[in-house]
Amino acid sequence: MVIGEPHRAFYGNQFGLTLLLFEHFRVRLWVPEVGGPIDPQKEAHELVMSVFGGMSKGSVTGSGFGSARP
């Protein structure tokens, strides 16, 4: 599976939770920003994806979604 915009694909810690399912079903996750497939054994890949999850969380929080408009 190719994730073209990882900062929009996962929110918060969703990547860590879904990665276990991808591994179980032997689905390879490709992320262009990582340079190809995610390697679950590489801490750097997990770190990069957690940063993208944090970016997504910030953009949703800052969007004002669900808040009252003046």
Side-chain angles (χ1 to χ4, degrees):
M1 177 185 306
V2 177
I3 303 295
E5 294 187 46
H7 61 282
R8 292 181 179 214
F10 300 105
Y11 174 82
N13 67 345
Q14 285 179 335
F15 172 73
L17 299 172
T18 56
L19 183 61
L20 298 173
L21 288 172
F22 290 139
E23 288 179 323
H24 177 77
F25 291 105
R26 297 183 181 160
V27 174
R28 293 190 72 177
L29 182 65
W30 283 68
V31 179
E33 287 81 355
V34 174
I38 293 289
D39 183 349
Q41 305 304 317
K42 290 187 179 180
E43 279 188 46
H45 286 189
E46 191 170 335
L47 178 63
V48 167
M49 293 306 292
S50 68
V51 168
F52 283 128
M55 290 171 58
S56 175
K57 188 174 182 178
S59 69
V60 169
T61 303
S63 70
F65 179 75
S67 61
R69 296 188 185 247

Short mmCIF file of all heavy atoms in Angstrom, two decimals:
data_model
loop_
_atom_site.label_atom_id
_atom_site.label_comp_id
_atom_site.label_asym_id
_atom_site.label_seq_id
_atom_site.Cartn_x
_atom_site.Cartn_y
_atom_site.Cartn_z
N MET A 1 0.85 -1.15 0.00
CA MET A 1 0.00 0.00 0.00
C MET A 1 0.91 1.23 0.00
O MET A 1 1.88 1.28 0.74
CB MET A 1 -0.89 -0.01 1.25
CG MET A 1 -1.75 1.20 1.35
SD MET A 1 -2.71 1.30 2.87
CE MET A 1 -3.55 -0.25 2.88
N VAL A 2 0.57 2.21 -0.82
CA VAL A 2 1.36 3.44 -0.90
C VAL A 2 0.60 4.56 -0.18
O VAL A 2 -0.59 4.77 -0.43
CB VAL A 2 1.63 3.85 -2.35
CG1 VAL A 2 2.37 5.17 -2.41
CG2 VAL A 2 2.40 2.77 -3.08
N ILE A 3 1.29 5.24 0.71
CA ILE A 3 0.72 6.38 1.41
C ILE A 3 1.38 7.63 0.84
O ILE A 3 2.55 7.89 1.08
CB ILE A 3 0.99 6.30 2.94
CG1 ILE A 3 0.43 5.01 3.52
CG2 ILE A 3 0.44 7.52 3.64
CD1 ILE A 3 -1.06 4.89 3.46
N GLY A 4 0.63 8.38 0.05
CA GLY A 4 1.17 9.55 -0.62
C GLY A 4 1.31 10.77 0.28
O GLY A 4 2.19 11.59 0.08
N GLU A 5 0.46 10.90 1.27
CA GLU A 5 0.52 12.03 2.20
C GLU A 5 0.42 11.50 3.63
O GLU A 5 -0.66 11.49 4.23
CB GLU A 5 -0.62 13.01 1.92
CG GLU A 5 -0.50 13.69 0.57
CD GLU A 5 -1.55 14.77 0.40
OE1 GLU A 5 -1.73 15.57 1.33
OE2 GLU A 5 -2.16 14.80 -0.67
N PRO A 6 1.54 11.04 4.19
CA PRO A 6 1.50 10.42 5.51
C PRO A 6 1.02 11.34 6.62
O PRO A 6 0.45 10.87 7.60
CB PRO A 6 2.94 9.97 5.75
CG PRO A 6 3.77 10.76 4.82
CD PRO A 6 2.89 11.08 3.64
N HIS A 7 1.19 12.65 6.46
CA HIS A 7 0.71 13.57 7.49
C HIS A 7 -0.81 13.66 7.51
O HIS A 7 -1.39 14.18 8.45
CB HIS A 7 1.35 14.95 7.33
CG HIS A 7 1.04 15.62 6.02
ND1 HIS A 7 1.69 15.26 4.86
CD2 HIS A 7 0.17 16.56 5.69
CE1 HIS A 7 1.21 15.99 3.86
NE2 HIS A 7 0.29 16.79 4.34
N ARG A 8 -1.46 13.15 6.47
CA ARG A 8 -2.93 13.12 6.45
C ARG A 8 -3.47 11.71 6.67
O ARG A 8 -4.65 11.54 6.95
CB ARG A 8 -3.45 13.63 5.11
CG ARG A 8 -3.19 15.09 4.91
CD ARG A 8 -3.75 15.51 3.58
NE ARG A 8 -3.52 16.94 3.40
CZ ARG A 8 -4.34 17.73 2.77
NH1 ARG A 8 -5.44 17.25 2.24
NH2 ARG A 8 -4.07 19.00 2.65
N ALA A 9 -2.62 10.72 6.52
CA ALA A 9 -3.08 9.33 6.60
C ALA A 9 -3.25 8.84 8.03
O ALA A 9 -4.12 8.02 8.30
CB ALA A 9 -2.11 8.43 5.86
N PHE A 10 -2.41 9.32 8.93
CA PHE A 10 -2.44 8.84 10.30
C PHE A 10 -2.52 10.01 11.26
O PHE A 10 -1.87 11.02 11.09
CB PHE A 10 -1.18 8.03 10.61
CG PHE A 10 -1.02 6.83 9.72
CD1 PHE A 10 -0.09 6.85 8.69
CD2 PHE A 10 -1.79 5.70 9.90
CE1 PHE A 10 0.06 5.75 7.86
CE2 PHE A 10 -1.65 4.61 9.07
CZ PHE A 10 -0.72 4.63 8.05
N TYR A 11 -3.32 9.83 12.31
CA TYR A 11 -3.51 10.86 13.33
C TYR A 11 -2.94 10.34 14.64
O TYR A 11 -3.23 9.21 15.05
CB TYR A 11 -5.00 11.15 13.47
CG TYR A 11 -5.35 12.09 14.60
CD1 TYR A 11 -5.24 13.47 14.41
CD2 TYR A 11 -5.77 11.63 15.83
CE1 TYR A 11 -5.56 14.34 15.43
CE2 TYR A 11 -6.10 12.49 16.86
CZ TYR A 11 -5.99 13.86 16.64
OH TYR A 11 -6.30 14.73 17.65
N GLY A 12 -2.11 11.14 15.29
CA GLY A 12 -1.56 10.75 16.59
C GLY A 12 -0.79 9.45 16.50
O GLY A 12 0.13 9.32 15.72
N ASN A 13 -1.20 8.44 17.28
CA ASN A 13 -0.48 7.17 17.31
C ASN A 13 -1.12 6.10 16.43
O ASN A 13 -0.83 4.91 16.58
CB ASN A 13 -0.38 6.66 18.75
CG ASN A 13 -1.73 6.27 19.32
OD1 ASN A 13 -2.77 6.61 18.78
ND2 ASN A 13 -1.71 5.54 20.42
N GLN A 14 -1.98 6.48 15.50
CA GLN A 14 -2.65 5.50 14.64
C GLN A 14 -1.66 4.66 13.85
O GLN A 14 -1.91 3.48 13.61
CB GLN A 14 -3.60 6.18 13.67
CG GLN A 14 -4.87 6.65 14.31
CD GLN A 14 -5.77 7.36 13.31
OE1 GLN A 14 -5.30 7.89 12.30
NE2 GLN A 14 -7.06 7.35 13.58
N PHE A 15 -0.55 5.25 13.44
CA PHE A 15 0.42 4.48 12.65
C PHE A 15 0.92 3.28 13.45
O PHE A 15 0.95 2.16 12.93
CB PHE A 15 1.61 5.35 12.22
CG PHE A 15 2.70 4.53 11.59
CD1 PHE A 15 2.54 4.01 10.33
CD2 PHE A 15 3.86 4.26 12.29
CE1 PHE A 15 3.53 3.22 9.75
CE2 PHE A 15 4.86 3.49 11.71
CZ PHE A 15 4.69 2.97 10.45
N GLY A 16 1.32 3.51 14.69
CA GLY A 16 1.83 2.42 15.52
C GLY A 16 0.80 1.31 15.71
O GLY A 16 1.15 0.13 15.74
N LEU A 17 -0.46 1.69 15.83
CA LEU A 17 -1.52 0.70 16.01
C LEU A 17 -1.82 -0.07 14.74
O LEU A 17 -2.04 -1.28 14.77
CB LEU A 17 -2.79 1.39 16.52
CG LEU A 17 -2.66 2.11 17.86
CD1 LEU A 17 -3.92 2.90 18.15
CD2 LEU A 17 -2.35 1.13 18.98
N THR A 18 -1.83 0.62 13.60
CA THR A 18 -2.17 -0.06 12.34
C THR A 18 -0.99 -0.82 11.77
O THR A 18 -1.19 -1.77 11.01
CB THR A 18 -2.70 0.93 11.30
OG1 THR A 18 -1.75 1.97 11.12
CG2 THR A 18 -4.02 1.52 11.71
N LEU A 19 0.22 -0.43 12.13
CA LEU A 19 1.40 -1.14 11.61
C LEU A 19 1.36 -2.61 12.00
O LEU A 19 1.74 -3.48 11.23
CB LEU A 19 2.69 -0.49 12.10
CG LEU A 19 3.98 -1.10 11.56
CD1 LEU A 19 4.03 -0.99 10.04
CD2 LEU A 19 5.19 -0.44 12.17
N LEU A 20 0.86 -2.90 13.19
CA LEU A 20 0.75 -4.29 13.64
C LEU A 20 -0.17 -5.09 12.72
O LEU A 20 0.11 -6.25 12.39
CB LEU A 20 0.23 -4.35 15.07
CG LEU A 20 1.11 -3.69 16.13
CD1 LEU A 20 0.39 -3.66 17.47
CD2 LEU A 20 2.43 -4.41 16.23
N LEU A 21 -1.25 -4.47 12.27
CA LEU A 21 -2.16 -5.15 11.33
C LEU A 21 -1.50 -5.35 9.97
O LEU A 21 -1.64 -6.40 9.36
CB LEU A 21 -3.45 -4.35 11.17
CG LEU A 21 -4.39 -4.37 12.36
CD1 LEU A 21 -5.53 -3.39 12.15
CD2 LEU A 21 -4.93 -5.77 12.59
N PHE A 22 -0.81 -4.32 9.50
CA PHE A 22 -0.10 -4.45 8.22
C PHE A 22 0.89 -5.60 8.28
O PHE A 22 0.99 -6.41 7.35
CB PHE A 22 0.63 -3.16 7.85
CG PHE A 22 -0.26 -2.02 7.47
CD1 PHE A 22 0.01 -0.74 7.91
CD2 PHE A 22 -1.37 -2.21 6.67
CE1 PHE A 22 -0.80 0.33 7.57
CE2 PHE A 22 -2.20 -1.15 6.31
CZ PHE A 22 -1.91 0.12 6.77
N GLU A 23 1.64 -5.71 9.37
CA GLU A 23 2.61 -6.79 9.52
C GLU A 23 1.92 -8.14 9.57
O GLU A 23 2.36 -9.09 8.94
CB GLU A 23 3.45 -6.59 10.79
CG GLU A 23 4.45 -5.48 10.70
CD GLU A 23 5.23 -5.33 12.00
OE1 GLU A 23 4.66 -5.51 13.09
OE2 GLU A 23 6.43 -5.05 11.89
N HIS A 24 0.83 -8.22 10.32
CA HIS A 24 0.11 -9.49 10.46
C HIS A 24 -0.36 -10.02 9.11
O HIS A 24 -0.26 -11.21 8.82
CB HIS A 24 -1.07 -9.32 11.41
CG HIS A 24 -1.90 -10.56 11.54
ND1 HIS A 24 -1.50 -11.64 12.30
CD2 HIS A 24 -3.10 -10.89 10.99
CE1 HIS A 24 -2.43 -12.59 12.21
NE2 HIS A 24 -3.41 -12.16 11.44
N PHE A 25 -0.91 -9.13 8.28
CA PHE A 25 -1.43 -9.53 6.98
C PHE A 25 -0.39 -9.40 5.86
O PHE A 25 -0.73 -9.52 4.69
CB PHE A 25 -2.69 -8.73 6.65
CG PHE A 25 -3.86 -9.10 7.52
CD1 PHE A 25 -4.25 -8.26 8.53
CD2 PHE A 25 -4.52 -10.31 7.33
CE1 PHE A 25 -5.33 -8.61 9.35
CE2 PHE A 25 -5.59 -10.66 8.14
CZ PHE A 25 -5.99 -9.81 9.16
N ARG A 26 0.85 -9.15 6.26
CA ARG A 26 1.99 -9.04 5.31
C ARG A 26 1.75 -8.01 4.22
O ARG A 26 2.04 -8.22 3.05
CB ARG A 26 2.30 -10.41 4.73
CG ARG A 26 2.74 -11.38 5.78
CD ARG A 26 3.13 -12.69 5.22
NE ARG A 26 3.52 -13.57 6.31
CZ ARG A 26 3.55 -14.87 6.22
NH1 ARG A 26 3.22 -15.46 5.09
NH2 ARG A 26 3.91 -15.59 7.25
N VAL A 27 1.22 -6.87 4.64
CA VAL A 27 1.01 -5.74 3.73
C VAL A 27 2.20 -4.81 3.89
O VAL A 27 2.49 -4.35 4.99
CB VAL A 27 -0.30 -4.98 4.05
CG1 VAL A 27 -0.43 -3.74 3.20
CG2 VAL A 27 -1.49 -5.91 3.87
N ARG A 28 2.89 -4.54 2.80
CA ARG A 28 4.02 -3.62 2.84
C ARG A 28 3.49 -2.20 2.66
O ARG A 28 2.69 -1.93 1.79
CB ARG A 28 5.04 -3.95 1.77
CG ARG A 28 5.70 -5.29 2.06
CD ARG A 28 6.86 -5.55 1.19
NE ARG A 28 7.94 -4.67 1.62
CZ ARG A 28 9.14 -4.69 1.07
NH1 ARG A 28 9.41 -5.51 0.09
NH2 ARG A 28 10.07 -3.88 1.48
N LEU A 29 3.96 -1.32 3.51
CA LEU A 29 3.54 0.07 3.49
C LEU A 29 4.66 0.91 2.88
O LEU A 29 5.76 0.95 3.40
CB LEU A 29 3.24 0.54 4.91
CG LEU A 29 2.73 1.96 5.08
CD1 LEU A 29 1.38 2.09 4.40
CD2 LEU A 29 2.62 2.29 6.55
N TRP A 30 4.37 1.55 1.75
CA TRP A 30 5.34 2.40 1.07
C TRP A 30 5.02 3.85 1.34
O TRP A 30 3.89 4.30 1.18
CB TRP A 30 5.30 2.15 -0.44
CG TRP A 30 5.99 0.89 -0.85
CD1 TRP A 30 5.58 -0.39 -0.57
CD2 TRP A 30 7.19 0.76 -1.58
NE1 TRP A 30 6.46 -1.28 -1.09
CE2 TRP A 30 7.46 -0.61 -1.73
CE3 TRP A 30 8.06 1.69 -2.14
CZ2 TRP A 30 8.56 -1.08 -2.40
CZ3 TRP A 30 9.17 1.21 -2.82
CH2 TRP A 30 9.42 -0.15 -2.94
N VAL A 31 6.05 4.60 1.72
CA VAL A 31 5.92 6.03 1.99
C VAL A 31 7.06 6.74 1.26
O VAL A 31 8.23 6.54 1.59
CB VAL A 31 5.98 6.32 3.51
CG1 VAL A 31 5.88 7.80 3.78
CG2 VAL A 31 4.89 5.55 4.24
N PRO A 32 6.74 7.55 0.25
CA PRO A 32 7.79 8.22 -0.53
C PRO A 32 8.75 9.04 0.33
O PRO A 32 9.95 9.07 0.06
CB PRO A 32 7.01 9.12 -1.49
CG PRO A 32 5.68 8.47 -1.63
CD PRO A 32 5.41 7.85 -0.29
N GLU A 33 8.26 9.69 1.40
CA GLU A 33 9.12 10.50 2.26
C GLU A 33 10.17 9.67 2.98
O GLU A 33 11.20 10.20 3.40
CB GLU A 33 8.28 11.28 3.28
CG GLU A 33 7.50 12.43 2.69
CD GLU A 33 6.20 11.99 2.03
OE1 GLU A 33 5.91 10.80 1.94
OE2 GLU A 33 5.47 12.90 1.58
N VAL A 34 9.91 8.40 3.13
CA VAL A 34 10.86 7.50 3.78
C VAL A 34 11.81 6.89 2.74
O VAL A 34 12.84 6.35 3.08
CB VAL A 34 10.11 6.39 4.56
CG1 VAL A 34 11.03 5.36 5.14
CG2 VAL A 34 9.27 7.02 5.66
N GLY A 35 11.45 7.00 1.49
CA GLY A 35 12.29 6.47 0.42
C GLY A 35 11.92 5.07 0.00
O GLY A 35 12.71 4.38 -0.64
N GLY A 36 10.72 4.63 0.34
CA GLY A 36 10.27 3.29 -0.06
C GLY A 36 9.45 2.64 1.04
O GLY A 36 8.71 3.31 1.74
N PRO A 37 9.63 1.33 1.19
CA PRO A 37 8.81 0.62 2.16
C PRO A 37 9.22 0.92 3.60
O PRO A 37 10.40 1.12 3.89
CB PRO A 37 9.03 -0.86 1.83
CG PRO A 37 10.37 -0.89 1.16
CD PRO A 37 10.51 0.42 0.44
N ILE A 38 8.24 0.92 4.48
CA ILE A 38 8.50 1.08 5.91
C ILE A 38 9.10 -0.22 6.42
O ILE A 38 8.57 -1.30 6.15
CB ILE A 38 7.20 1.39 6.68
CG1 ILE A 38 6.66 2.75 6.29
CG2 ILE A 38 7.38 1.29 8.18
CD1 ILE A 38 7.47 3.91 6.82
N ASP A 39 10.18 -0.12 7.15
CA ASP A 39 10.79 -1.28 7.79
C ASP A 39 10.47 -1.20 9.28
O ASP A 39 11.00 -0.33 9.98
CB ASP A 39 12.30 -1.27 7.57
CG ASP A 39 12.99 -2.49 8.14
OD1 ASP A 39 12.34 -3.26 8.90
OD2 ASP A 39 14.18 -2.69 7.85
N PRO A 40 9.61 -2.08 9.78
CA PRO A 40 9.21 -2.02 11.19
C PRO A 40 10.38 -2.19 12.16
O PRO A 40 10.28 -1.82 13.32
CB PRO A 40 8.22 -3.18 11.34
CG PRO A 40 7.87 -3.60 9.98
CD PRO A 40 8.95 -3.15 9.07
N GLN A 41 11.49 -2.73 11.69
CA GLN A 41 12.65 -2.94 12.54
C GLN A 41 13.51 -1.69 12.69
O GLN A 41 14.39 -1.63 13.54
CB GLN A 41 13.51 -4.09 12.00
CG GLN A 41 12.74 -5.39 11.80
CD GLN A 41 12.05 -5.86 13.06
OE1 GLN A 41 12.61 -5.83 14.14
NE2 GLN A 41 10.80 -6.29 12.93
N LYS A 42 13.28 -0.68 11.85
CA LYS A 42 14.08 0.55 11.89
C LYS A 42 13.38 1.61 12.74
O LYS A 42 12.27 2.02 12.44
CB LYS A 42 14.31 1.10 10.49
CG LYS A 42 15.23 0.26 9.65
CD LYS A 42 15.55 0.95 8.35
CE LYS A 42 16.50 0.11 7.52
NZ LYS A 42 16.82 0.77 6.25
N GLU A 43 14.07 2.02 13.80
CA GLU A 43 13.51 3.06 14.67
C GLU A 43 13.30 4.37 13.93
O GLU A 43 12.37 5.10 14.22
CB GLU A 43 14.42 3.29 15.87
CG GLU A 43 14.25 2.29 16.98
CD GLU A 43 15.03 2.67 18.21
OE1 GLU A 43 14.97 3.85 18.62
OE2 GLU A 43 15.69 1.79 18.75
N ALA A 44 14.18 4.66 12.98
CA ALA A 44 14.08 5.92 12.23
C ALA A 44 12.75 5.99 11.47
O ALA A 44 12.12 7.05 11.42
CB ALA A 44 15.24 6.06 11.25
N HIS A 45 12.31 4.87 10.89
CA HIS A 45 11.04 4.87 10.16
C HIS A 45 9.88 5.12 11.11
O HIS A 45 8.96 5.88 10.80
CB HIS A 45 10.84 3.55 9.42
CG HIS A 45 11.72 3.41 8.22
ND1 HIS A 45 11.58 2.38 7.33
CD2 HIS A 45 12.74 4.17 7.75
CE1 HIS A 45 12.47 2.52 6.36
NE2 HIS A 45 13.19 3.60 6.61
N GLU A 46 9.92 4.47 12.27
CA GLU A 46 8.85 4.67 13.24
C GLU A 46 8.84 6.11 13.75
O GLU A 46 7.78 6.71 13.91
CB GLU A 46 9.02 3.71 14.42
CG GLU A 46 7.83 3.67 15.32
CD GLU A 46 7.89 2.55 16.34
OE1 GLU A 46 8.56 1.54 16.09
OE2 GLU A 46 7.25 2.71 17.38
N LEU A 47 10.02 6.69 13.94
CA LEU A 47 10.11 8.07 14.40
C LEU A 47 9.54 9.03 13.36
O LEU A 47 8.76 9.92 13.70
CB LEU A 47 11.56 8.43 14.71
CG LEU A 47 11.83 9.85 15.16
CD1 LEU A 47 11.11 10.14 16.46
CD2 LEU A 47 13.31 10.09 15.29
N VAL A 48 9.91 8.85 12.11
CA VAL A 48 9.41 9.72 11.04
C VAL A 48 7.88 9.64 10.96
O VAL A 48 7.19 10.66 10.85
CB VAL A 48 10.05 9.36 9.68
CG1 VAL A 48 9.32 10.03 8.53
CG2 VAL A 48 11.52 9.73 9.67
N MET A 49 7.35 8.43 11.04
CA MET A 49 5.90 8.28 10.94
C MET A 49 5.19 8.87 12.17
O MET A 49 4.10 9.41 12.05
CB MET A 49 5.53 6.81 10.76
CG MET A 49 6.00 6.25 9.42
SD MET A 49 5.45 7.20 7.98
CE MET A 49 3.70 6.89 8.02
N SER A 50 5.82 8.80 13.33
CA SER A 50 5.20 9.41 14.51
C SER A 50 5.21 10.94 14.39
O SER A 50 4.28 11.60 14.84
CB SER A 50 5.89 8.96 15.80
OG SER A 50 7.20 9.46 15.88
N VAL A 51 6.23 11.48 13.75
CA VAL A 51 6.26 12.93 13.51
C VAL A 51 5.12 13.32 12.57
O VAL A 51 4.42 14.31 12.80
CB VAL A 51 7.62 13.38 12.93
CG1 VAL A 51 7.56 14.80 12.40
CG2 VAL A 51 8.71 13.24 13.98
N PHE A 52 4.90 12.52 11.52
CA PHE A 52 3.79 12.80 10.61
C PHE A 52 2.46 12.73 11.34
O PHE A 52 1.56 13.52 11.10
CB PHE A 52 3.78 11.82 9.42
CG PHE A 52 4.80 12.14 8.38
CD1 PHE A 52 5.68 11.17 7.94
CD2 PHE A 52 4.88 13.40 7.82
CE1 PHE A 52 6.63 11.45 6.98
CE2 PHE A 52 5.82 13.70 6.84
CZ PHE A 52 6.70 12.71 6.42
N GLY A 53 2.31 11.76 12.26
CA GLY A 53 1.09 11.67 13.06
C GLY A 53 0.88 12.90 13.91
O GLY A 53 -0.24 13.39 14.07
N GLY A 54 1.97 13.43 14.46
CA GLY A 54 1.89 14.66 15.25
C GLY A 54 1.53 15.86 14.41
O GLY A 54 0.79 16.74 14.84
N MET A 55 2.05 15.89 13.17
CA MET A 55 1.70 16.98 12.26
C MET A 55 0.22 16.94 11.95
O MET A 55 -0.45 17.98 11.91
CB MET A 55 2.51 16.88 10.96
CG MET A 55 3.97 17.18 11.12
SD MET A 55 4.94 16.79 9.64
CE MET A 55 4.15 17.78 8.40
N SER A 56 -0.31 15.75 11.74
CA SER A 56 -1.73 15.59 11.44
C SER A 56 -2.56 16.04 12.63
O SER A 56 -3.54 16.74 12.48
CB SER A 56 -2.03 14.13 11.13
OG SER A 56 -3.41 13.94 10.96
N LYS A 57 -2.14 15.67 13.82
CA LYS A 57 -2.88 16.05 15.03
C LYS A 57 -2.91 17.56 15.17
O LYS A 57 -3.94 18.13 15.50
CB LYS A 57 -2.21 15.41 16.24
CG LYS A 57 -2.98 15.57 17.51
CD LYS A 57 -2.33 14.79 18.63
CE LYS A 57 -3.14 14.91 19.89
NZ LYS A 57 -2.56 14.13 20.98
N GLY A 58 -1.80 18.22 14.88
CA GLY A 58 -1.74 19.67 14.96
C GLY A 58 -2.62 20.36 13.95
O GLY A 58 -3.26 21.36 14.24
N SER A 59 -2.68 19.81 12.74
CA SER A 59 -3.49 20.46 11.71
C SER A 59 -4.97 20.29 12.00
O SER A 59 -5.76 21.18 11.71
CB SER A 59 -3.14 19.90 10.33
OG SER A 59 -3.54 18.57 10.18
N VAL A 60 -5.36 19.17 12.58
CA VAL A 60 -6.77 18.98 12.93
C VAL A 60 -7.14 19.88 14.10
O VAL A 60 -8.17 20.53 14.09
CB VAL A 60 -7.06 17.50 13.28
CG1 VAL A 60 -8.45 17.35 13.88
CG2 VAL A 60 -6.92 16.64 12.04
N THR A 61 -6.27 19.96 15.09
CA THR A 61 -6.52 20.80 16.25
C THR A 61 -6.61 22.26 15.85
O THR A 61 -7.49 22.99 16.30
CB THR A 61 -5.41 20.63 17.31
OG1 THR A 61 -5.34 19.26 17.66
CG2 THR A 61 -5.68 21.46 18.54
N GLY A 62 -5.74 22.69 14.95
CA GLY A 62 -5.72 24.08 14.53
C GLY A 62 -6.77 24.47 13.53
O GLY A 62 -6.96 25.63 13.22
N SER A 63 -7.47 23.48 12.99
CA SER A 63 -8.44 23.78 11.94
C SER A 63 -9.73 24.37 12.47
O SER A 63 -10.51 24.92 11.71
CB SER A 63 -8.77 22.50 11.15
OG SER A 63 -9.53 21.62 11.95
N GLY A 64 -9.99 24.21 13.76
CA GLY A 64 -11.23 24.71 14.32
C GLY A 64 -12.40 23.78 14.11
O GLY A 64 -13.53 24.12 14.38
N PHE A 65 -12.14 22.57 13.61
CA PHE A 65 -13.18 21.60 13.38
C PHE A 65 -13.89 21.28 14.69
O PHE A 65 -13.28 20.99 15.69
CB PHE A 65 -12.60 20.31 12.78
CG PHE A 65 -13.64 19.25 12.54
CD1 PHE A 65 -14.51 19.36 11.47
CD2 PHE A 65 -13.76 18.16 13.38
CE1 PHE A 65 -15.46 18.40 11.24
CE2 PHE A 65 -14.71 17.20 13.17
CZ PHE A 65 -15.57 17.31 12.08
N GLY A 66 -15.17 21.36 14.68
CA GLY A 66 -15.98 21.04 15.85
C GLY A 66 -16.12 22.18 16.85
O GLY A 66 -16.74 22.03 17.87
N SER A 67 -15.54 23.31 16.56
CA SER A 67 -15.67 24.43 17.48
C SER A 67 -16.73 25.41 16.96
O SER A 67 -17.03 25.47 15.79
CB SER A 67 -14.32 25.16 17.63
OG SER A 67 -13.91 25.67 16.39
N ALA A 68 -17.27 26.16 17.88
CA ALA A 68 -18.29 27.15 17.51
C ALA A 68 -17.63 28.29 16.75
O ALA A 68 -16.54 28.71 17.04
CB ALA A 68 -18.95 27.68 18.77
N ARG A 69 -18.33 28.78 15.76
CA ARG A 69 -17.81 29.90 14.97
C ARG A 69 -18.41 31.19 15.49
O ARG A 69 -19.60 31.25 15.79
CB ARG A 69 -18.15 29.71 13.50
CG ARG A 69 -17.47 28.50 12.93
CD ARG A 69 -17.67 28.45 11.45
NE ARG A 69 -17.11 27.20 10.96
CZ ARG A 69 -16.05 27.14 10.19
NH1 ARG A 69 -15.44 28.23 9.81
NH2 ARG A 69 -15.59 25.98 9.79
N PRO A 70 -17.60 32.24 15.57
CA PRO A 70 -18.12 33.53 16.06
C PRO A 70 -19.08 34.17 15.09
O PRO A 70 -19.13 33.97 13.97
CB PRO A 70 -16.87 34.40 16.22
CG PRO A 70 -15.74 33.68 15.57
CD PRO A 70 -16.21 32.29 15.27
#
